[in-house]
Amino acid sequence: MITEELLKGMMKSQNPGWKTAITKVEHNHLSTRGYSQEDLIENYSFPEMVYLLLQGKIPSEKQKKMFEAVLVSFCDHGVTPPSTQSARLMASAGSSVNACIAGGILAFGKNHAGAIEISMKMLQRGIQLQKNYGKSTDEIKDEVLTYFENGNMKVPGFGHRYHKKDPRAAKLIEVAKKLDCFNEHCELAMNIENSLYNEKGIKMNIDGANSAILSDMGFDWKMGCGIFIIGRVPGLLAHVNEEMALEKPFRKVFDMNGL
Amino acid sequence: MITEELLKGMMKSQNPGWKTAITKVEHNHLSTRGYSQEDLIENYSFPEMVYLLLQGKIPSEKQKKMFEAVLVSFCDHGVTPPSTQSARLMASAGSSVNACIAGGILAFGKNHAGAIEISMKMLQRGIQLQKNYGKSTDEIKDEVLTYFENGNMKVPGFGHRYHKKDPRAAKLIEVAKKLDCFNEHCELAMNIENSLYNEKGIKMNIDGANSAILSDMGFDWKMGCGIFIIGRVPGLLAHVNEEMALEKPFRKVFDMNGL
Amino acid sequence: MITEELLKGMMKSQNPGWKTAITKVEHNHLSTRGYSQEDLIENYSFPEMVYLLLQGKIPSEKQKKMFEAVLVSFCDHGVTPPSTQSARLMASAGSSVNACIAGGILAFGKNHAGAIEISMKMLQRGIQLQKNYGKSTDEIKDEVLTYFENGNMKVPGFGHRYHKKDPRAAKLIEVAKKLDCFNEHCELAMNIENSLYNEKGIKMNIDGANSAILSDMGFDWKMGCGIFIIGRVPGLLAHVNEEMALEKPFRKVFDMNGL
Amino acid sequence: MITEELLKGMMKSQNPGWKTAITKVEHNHLSTRGYSQEDLIENYSFPEMVYLLLQGKIPSEKQKKMFEAVLVSFCDHGVTPPSTQSARLMASAGSSVNACIAGGILAFGKNHAGAIEISMKMLQRGIQLQKNYGKSTDEIKDEVLTYFENGNMKVPGFGHRYHKKDPRAAKLIEVAKKLDCFNEHCELAMNIENSLYNEKGIKMNIDGANSAILSDMGFDWKMGCGIFIIGRVPGLLAHVNEEMALEKPFRKVFDMNGL
């Protein structure tokens, strides 16, 4: 006989997939991580909302300010990044705004925005090692540098294609100190910078600073590129809008040897 | 003979494309819309930065709070939207975080996030007509409703697949009033809601409320979908992260008739 | 009481969405448009398979050859298109192959690959008008030209940024004649070319030729951009592969005024 | 003084990026890998063109037929794959055809289409080891199986979510034998299947068969996902078109617990 229980069991197996702990959708009601969305709209800032979505709780006042500074710092780097160039090329070709922004995000590969995750992973593993084996920050720093040197790789989060001294990195570290968000990961990053600067004249870049700060705020390295995207999408939108409003459609951005 | 002038002319034609008024990139210095990025990182909130990028100026304190509420309201609607489902399907298939978020954004078509632009366009044209021809809000409202009725189309920004009464819309309008951001476009939208509710029991949804508010804040309708994206990307990231962390890779989200 | 009928009704409403007439998936068996995939793999060419997917039937031998020529003609235009440039920028930034190809496709906006749909729509509406009102090809041609002239728009499918005479267009028309695929839409397109060439020196481009040929083969204009994509994806893959194999990662493709 | 040499040097540094060996673009002339595109359009099949783009040469008659069968086999698997579901969700949301296809491709992650690259890499490394160390196919097979067993991973290219016996795999291997495209990589793959089938009842799937065949045809494993994309895009287009033509816009594909 078909009981109600059996029925529910069957129904459940029919719709196994879509469940979530992020936002509960009910008729005429929405709540995210336990907060009603009406409350969130009225009483919380955007960085608090983002932090709540990603970490499951509201940040402290200082954490909020720090997270805000991180997002602001990611906002734009003019027309130099491949992501911005791609988004503008798409806008020029007549694609829709959402296609252009999606396209820009697709250029956030491992050599571009992806670098921040590799940098976060490096710092988080370093601190993990430090804790597990009681090593000093200096020892960890040496191991990190040796690892990348042996692999003939750049240290992720250090050096910049356009700046000897990335102006955003120093400011972010300064803000982190002021807001008590400068902890072990920041210390390790500063330690690495000291060595790299003394030996090769290489300074920390924005990815390095934000990697350290986000790690000290408890973000898993797998969130790095996503947080960069949250910060950079407004810049992409501004560029797409500028291209559409001011430039000739389907223009030749580059001269092709006279073609 | 090759003169310097000729040379400069030739150089210019070689690199015609990449120019921008958004962010100036110089060695060790970045400035956006005239503000040094170090200043912006230290002293401005994220919504102020976004507003600066899109409107070219810093918003007033009340505008900032309003813009913040708009962005918060867009953040998440659980697993129901096609954008969120697409992003999670991609995460389950093993795509990278940036590919998943880009994929989610590609589902913001004209029936989904795109609706906000159609709604903004409707309100902005309505107010334009009002100004040009001295019509009353009521007359404009009637014209709008007739237009969509004749075309057998839903009025964009009104009605919701999951809510009789979208809880976010009422709250946003309430906040707009409190922050003096409730002006002519909001008034027209409320007028439309009154008629639709009396005749068909249909209420304003989040797109309708934000369309009106953003229009009253001076945003061109072509920005609508882009601003939605800025607000929703954090929600997409949270879902992608949840899928990757908690669900079995490449799972069958739907039962396919027993297959 | 829970009857079997009620149960089936509930089950059905649980999984309303995914149905298709394209491919039937059963345990250990797949059939597309009625053909077993084993048969298709063994006995049919790729263009036949594509034609079957899109039109629901196997093409004649001549149609197959014509469709093949259309796909070949779309394959590549070097590094000049924004789609190819976007895909290479993404490859340089370290994105995965599928992200790069998706990104390239996102640049197929209405000014680029999208033009083919506008061109097909123009030709198909023209022929429709001709049939409905008994007008001559010349009359239709005049109406088309007047329409675009009045709107101060380029006629879609005619003229090219890099070629006075697109070498692919003439060859495609020649092949269409040889394969009996030159019919009313091709005739209208040739008629338009004659006028544009006599008056302004403008020739048909690849989009114009393929628009006419695909229309004569019975493809709806909404398929135009999709068929272009099928043809161009191999070219995008070749470029992504070349960028990854031969160029320095995250290179500066353009000199930014000395930066 | 400005010499011609100096001038050329400056010009070169202004346009360092866009060069390619794939297609040469000249005024009114296009040639790909040395063949004029007019010749290619008139005299070559689409799979020959694709092979030329990717391998730099025209395939033999048997290779052409084999490559054709590979592309046909990738074409469609109904509504079950996350890529097809994503593309249809986007179409339902009102996105453009190119955005929907790009979105589908973004679901080709490492658990879906990406599996073919891991499978090709496994087979190509296996054969490399065999050559370098003179090991037998059986020894290599044992090493491969041990590697994946130790890592508690599925062997890529074997087993299928919907089929005990993927009908496409056996047919592809049969065709490969008939066309003399069954060589060392196919042999290794068959060897692995024998063991997996005897021990666990697991058979080769389409990715396994095509991995082996493409490897025997000389394709680098980094091409795997790209070739899958070339084959699958027509299926995605057919689904996007079906969704747009036959389904209600912005429909609820899944019942959300009664919402």
Side-chain angles (χ1 to χ4, degrees):
Chain A
M1 207 204 112
I2 299 162
T3 65
E4 208 175 320
E5 211 143 328
L6 175 68
L7 188 62
K8 279 189 190 156
M10 292 172 78
M11 302 302 272
K12 209 178 149 192
S13 79
Q14 280 270 336
N15 192 12
W18 297 132
K19 61 178 182 291
T20 180
I22 300 167
T23 294
K24 196 172 172 187
V25 181
E26 295 165 297
H27 281 304
N28 306 331
H29 190 65
L30 292 162
S31 58
T32 296
R33 305 286 194 197
Y35 292 75
S36 118
Q37 286 202 356
E38 286 146 289
D39 182 21
L40 291 164
I41 289 170
E42 192 165 17
N43 300 311
Y44 291 88
S45 74
F46 185 67
E48 283 171 315
M49 179 74 189
V50 178
Y51 192 99
L52 176 67
L53 279 164
L54 302 181
Q55 297 258 31
K57 60 185 182 213
I58 298 288
S60 73
E61 190 60 24
K62 282 181 176 169
Q63 285 172 324
K64 180 194 100 172
K65 282 211 155 73
M66 187 71 247
F67 195 44
E68 191 123 62
V70 169
L71 293 176
V72 167
S73 75
F74 279 132
C75 260
D76 195 44
H77 198 275
V79 285
T80 68
S83 45
T84 307
Q85 292 172 353
S86 295
R88 291 189 78 130
L89 284 167
M90 289 164 192
S92 182
S95 293
S96 60
V97 171
N98 68 324
C100 296
I101 292 179
I105 290 173
L106 289 177
F108 289 153
K110 65 177 193 289
N111 306 320
H112 184 359
I116 196 176
E117 295 198 354
I118 313 173
S119 180
M120 285 175 83
K121 200 172 168 182
M122 169 185 87
L123 296 174
Q124 292 178 14
R125 293 209 168 164
I127 296 304
Q128 201 54 49
L129 282 175
Q130 197 177 14
K131 286 183 177 160
N132 291 352
Y133 301 104
K135 295 187 177 178
S136 71
T137 306
D138 256 16
E139 284 170 306
I140 296 297
K141 181 255 304 173
D142 286 340
E143 286 182 21
V144 163
L145 291 178
T146 305
Y147 173 81
F148 286 96
E149 225 157 82
N150 286 350
N152 203 20
M153 298 177 283
K154 287 186 208 168
V155 185
F158 296 85
H160 196 281
R161 300 198 297 174
Y162 293 101
H163 309 288
K164 274 272 173 203
K165 182 175 177 310
D166 187 332
R168 301 163 295 181
K171 178 54 75 182
L172 283 161
I173 292 296
E174 185 195 321
V175 171
K177 284 179 177 163
K178 212 169 57 186
L179 294 171
D180 298 330
C181 291
F182 185 102
N183 287 304
E184 53 198 8
H185 298 90
C186 283
E187 210 159 318
L188 175 55
M190 290 301 290
N191 223 316
I192 294 172
E193 186 190 46
N194 283 342
S195 289
L196 282 176
Y197 189 66
N198 289 336
E199 288 162 30
K200 302 178 183 176
I202 293 173
K203 301 279 272 179
M204 194 186 288
N205 63 30
I206 183 179
D207 291 339
N210 281 329
S211 295
I213 292 166
L214 290 170
S215 296
D216 273 340
M217 292 179 78
F219 284 98
D220 190 278
W221 64 266
K222 286 174 187 163
M223 292 275 196
C225 184
I227 295 173
F228 183 109
I229 292 172
I230 295 171
R232 182 57 61 89
V233 162
L236 289 175
L237 175 58
H239 280 282
V240 166
N241 199 55
E242 189 182 52
E243 178 74 31
M244 287 176 170
L246 301 182
E247 301 285 356
K248 213 177 132 226
F250 208 42
R251 63 195 175 107
K252 293 184 194 171
V253 181
F254 329 103
D255 191 52
M256 291 293 172
N257 303 319
L259 262 181
Chain B
M1 206 204 115
I2 300 160
T3 65
E4 207 174 319
E5 210 142 327
L6 175 69
L7 190 62
K8 279 187 190 157
M10 291 172 78
M11 301 303 273
K12 209 177 152 194
S13 79
Q14 281 267 340
N15 192 15
W18 297 131
K19 62 178 180 291
T20 180
I22 300 167
T23 295
K24 196 171 172 186
V25 181
E26 296 166 297
H27 280 303
N28 305 330
H29 190 64
L30 292 163
S31 58
T32 295
R33 306 286 194 196
Y35 292 75
S36 117
Q37 286 203 355
E38 286 147 288
D39 183 21
L40 291 164
I41 289 170
E42 191 163 19
N43 300 310
Y44 291 87
S45 74
F46 186 65
E48 284 172 316
M49 179 74 188
V50 177
Y51 192 99
L52 176 67
L53 278 164
L54 302 181
Q55 298 258 31
K57 59 187 181 212
I58 299 289
S60 74
E61 190 61 22
K62 283 181 176 169
Q63 285 171 324
K64 180 194 101 174
K65 280 208 155 73
M66 187 71 249
F67 194 44
E68 191 122 60
V70 169
L71 293 177
V72 167
S73 75
F74 280 132
C75 260
D76 195 44
H77 197 276
V79 285
T80 68
S83 46
T84 307
Q85 293 172 353
S86 296
R88 291 188 77 130
L89 284 167
M90 289 164 192
S92 181
S95 293
S96 60
V97 171
N98 68 323
C100 296
I101 292 179
I105 290 172
L106 289 177
F108 290 153
K110 65 177 192 289
N111 306 319
H112 183 1
I116 197 177
E117 295 197 355
I118 312 173
S119 180
M120 285 175 83
K121 199 172 167 182
M122 170 186 86
L123 296 173
Q124 292 179 13
R125 291 208 170 166
I127 297 303
Q128 200 55 49
L129 282 174
Q130 196 178 14
K131 287 186 175 157
N132 292 351
Y133 301 104
K135 295 186 178 178
S136 71
T137 306
D138 256 16
E139 285 171 305
I140 297 296
K141 180 255 303 172
D142 286 340
E143 286 183 21
V144 163
L145 292 177
T146 306
Y147 173 81
F148 285 97
E149 225 156 82
N150 287 349
N152 204 19
M153 298 177 284
K154 289 186 207 167
V155 186
F158 296 85
H160 196 280
R161 300 197 298 174
Y162 293 100
H163 308 288
K164 275 272 173 205
K165 184 175 175 311
D166 187 332
R168 300 162 294 181
K171 179 53 76 184
L172 282 161
I173 292 295
E174 184 195 322
V175 172
K177 284 179 178 163
K178 212 169 58 186
L179 293 171
D180 299 329
C181 292
F182 185 101
N183 287 305
E184 53 198 7
H185 298 89
C186 282
E187 210 157 318
L188 175 55
M190 290 302 289
N191 223 316
I192 294 171
E193 186 189 47
N194 284 342
S195 289
L196 282 176
Y197 189 66
N198 289 337
E199 289 162 28
K200 303 179 182 175
I202 293 173
K203 301 279 272 180
M204 194 186 288
N205 64 30
I206 184 181
D207 291 338
N210 280 329
S211 294
I213 292 166
L214 290 170
S215 296
D216 273 340
M217 292 179 79
F219 284 98
D220 190 277
W221 64 266
K222 286 175 188 162
M223 292 275 196
C225 185
I227 294 172
F228 183 109
I229 292 172
I230 295 171
R232 181 57 61 90
V233 162
L236 289 176
L237 176 58
H239 280 283
V240 166
N241 199 55
E242 189 183 50
E243 178 74 32
M244 287 176 170
L246 301 182
E247 302 286 355
K248 212 177 132 223
F250 209 44
R251 63 196 174 106
K252 292 184 193 172
V253 180
F254 329 103
D255 190 51
M256 291 291 173
N257 302 318
L259 262 182
Chain C
M1 207 204 112
I2 300 160
T3 63
E4 205 175 320
E5 211 143 326
L6 175 68
L7 189 63
K8 278 188 189 159
M10 291 173 79
M11 303 302 275
K12 209 179 151 192
S13 80
Q14 280 268 341
N15 192 14
W18 298 130
K19 62 179 182 292
T20 180
I22 301 167
T23 295
K24 195 171 173 187
V25 180
E26 297 166 295
H27 282 303
N28 306 330
H29 190 64
L30 293 162
S31 58
T32 295
R33 305 286 193 197
Y35 291 75
S36 118
Q37 286 202 358
E38 286 148 287
D39 182 21
L40 291 165
I41 290 169
E42 190 164 17
N43 300 312
Y44 291 88
S45 75
F46 185 65
E48 283 171 316
M49 180 75 188
V50 178
Y51 192 98
L52 176 67
L53 279 165
L54 302 182
Q55 299 256 30
K57 61 187 181 210
I58 298 289
S60 73
E61 190 61 23
K62 281 181 177 170
Q63 285 171 323
K64 181 193 98 171
K65 282 210 154 73
M66 187 70 248
F67 195 43
E68 190 123 61
V70 169
L71 293 176
V72 167
S73 75
F74 280 132
C75 261
D76 194 45
H77 198 275
V79 284
T80 68
S83 46
T84 307
Q85 293 173 352
S86 295
R88 292 189 76 131
L89 283 167
M90 290 165 191
S92 182
S95 293
S96 60
V97 171
N98 68 323
C100 296
I101 292 178
I105 290 172
L106 290 177
F108 289 152
K110 65 177 192 289
N111 306 320
H112 183 1
I116 196 175
E117 294 197 355
I118 312 172
S119 181
M120 284 174 85
K121 200 172 169 182
M122 170 185 87
L123 296 173
Q124 292 179 15
R125 292 208 169 166
I127 296 303
Q128 200 56 48
L129 283 175
Q130 196 178 16
K131 286 183 176 160
N132 291 352
Y133 301 104
K135 294 186 178 178
S136 72
T137 307
D138 255 16
E139 284 170 305
I140 295 297
K141 180 256 300 172
D142 286 339
E143 286 182 20
V144 163
L145 291 177
T146 305
Y147 173 82
F148 285 96
E149 225 157 80
N150 287 348
N152 205 18
M153 298 177 284
K154 288 186 207 167
V155 185
F158 296 85
H160 196 282
R161 301 198 298 176
Y162 292 101
H163 308 290
K164 275 273 173 203
K165 184 176 176 308
D166 187 333
R168 300 162 295 181
K171 179 53 75 181
L172 284 160
I173 292 297
E174 184 195 322
V175 171
K177 284 179 178 164
K178 212 169 58 187
L179 294 170
D180 297 329
C181 292
F182 184 101
N183 287 304
E184 52 199 7
H185 298 89
C186 282
E187 209 159 319
L188 175 55
M190 290 302 289
N191 223 315
I192 294 171
E193 186 189 47
N194 283 341
S195 287
L196 283 175
Y197 189 67
N198 289 336
E199 288 163 29
K200 303 178 181 177
I202 293 173
K203 300 280 271 181
M204 195 186 288
N205 64 29
I206 182 179
D207 291 337
N210 281 329
S211 295
I213 292 166
L214 289 170
S215 296
D216 273 340
M217 291 178 80
F219 284 98
D220 190 276
W221 63 266
K222 287 174 187 162
M223 294 276 197
C225 185
I227 295 172
F228 183 110
I229 292 172
I230 295 171
R232 182 57 60 90
V233 162
L236 289 175
L237 175 59
H239 280 282
V240 166
N241 198 56
E242 189 183 51
E243 179 73 32
M244 288 177 169
L246 300 182
E247 301 286 354
K248 212 177 130 223
F250 209 42
R251 62 195 176 108
K252 293 184 193 171
V253 179
F254 330 103
D255 190 50
M256 290 292 172
N257 303 318
L259 264 180
Chain D
M1 208 205 111
I2 300 159
T3 64
E4 206 174 321
E5 211 144 325
L6 175 68
L7 190 63
K8 278 188 190 156
M10 291 173 80
M11 302 302 274
K12 208 179 153 192
S13 80
Q14 281 269 338
N15 192 13
W18 297 131
K19 61 178 182 291
T20 180
I22 300 167
T23 295
K24 195 171 173 187
V25 181
E26 296 167 296
H27 281 304
N28 305 329
H29 190 64
L30 292 162
S31 57
T32 295
R33 306 286 194 196
Y35 290 75
S36 119
Q37 286 203 356
E38 286 147 288
D39 182 21
L40 291 165
I41 290 170
E42 191 164 17
N43 300 312
Y44 291 87
S45 75
F46 186 65
E48 284 171 317
M49 179 73 188
V50 178
Y51 193 99
L52 176 67
L53 278 164
L54 302 181
Q55 298 257 31
K57 60 188 181 210
I58 299 289
S60 73
E61 190 60 23
K62 282 181 176 170
Q63 285 172 323
K64 181 193 98 171
K65 281 208 155 74
M66 187 70 247
F67 194 43
E68 191 123 60
V70 169
L71 293 176
V72 167
S73 75
F74 279 132
C75 260
D76 194 44
H77 197 274
V79 285
T80 68
S83 46
T84 307
Q85 292 173 352
S86 295
R88 291 189 77 129
L89 284 167
M90 289 164 192
S92 182
S95 293
S96 60
V97 171
N98 66 323
C100 297
I101 292 180
I105 290 172
L106 289 177
F108 289 152
K110 65 179 192 290
N111 306 319
H112 182 3
I116 196 176
E117 294 197 355
I118 313 173
S119 180
M120 284 173 83
K121 200 172 166 181
M122 170 185 88
L123 296 174
Q124 291 178 15
R125 291 209 171 165
I127 296 304
Q128 200 56 49
L129 282 175
Q130 195 177 17
K131 285 184 176 159
N132 292 350
Y133 301 104
K135 294 185 178 180
S136 73
T137 306
D138 255 16
E139 284 170 307
I140 295 297
K141 181 256 300 174
D142 286 339
E143 286 182 21
V144 163
L145 291 178
T146 305
Y147 173 82
F148 285 96
E149 226 158 80
N150 287 350
N152 204 20
M153 298 177 283
K154 288 185 208 168
V155 185
F158 296 85
H160 196 281
R161 300 198 297 174
Y162 293 101
H163 309 289
K164 275 271 172 206
K165 182 175 177 309
D166 187 332
R168 300 162 295 182
K171 179 54 76 181
L172 283 161
I173 292 296
E174 183 194 323
V175 171
K177 283 178 179 165
K178 211 169 58 185
L179 294 171
D180 298 329
C181 292
F182 185 100
N183 287 305
E184 52 199 5
H185 299 89
C186 283
E187 210 158 319
L188 174 55
M190 290 301 290
N191 222 316
I192 293 172
E193 186 190 46
N194 284 341
S195 288
L196 283 174
Y197 190 66
N198 289 337
E199 289 162 30
K200 304 177 180 175
I202 293 173
K203 300 279 271 181
M204 194 186 289
N205 64 29
I206 182 180
D207 291 337
N210 280 330
S211 295
I213 292 166
L214 289 170
S215 296
D216 273 341
M217 290 178 80
F219 284 98
D220 189 277
W221 64 266
K222 286 175 188 162
M223 293 276 197
C225 184
I227 295 172
F228 183 109
I229 292 172
I230 295 171
R232 181 57 61 90
V233 162
L236 289 174
L237 175 59
H239 280 282
V240 166
N241 198 56
E242 189 183 50
E243 178 74 32
M244 289 177 169
L246 300 182
E247 301 287 354
K248 213 178 130 223
F250 208 43
R251 64 197 174 106
K252 292 184 194 171
V253 179
F254 331 103
D255 190 52
M256 290 291 172
N257 303 319
L259 263 182

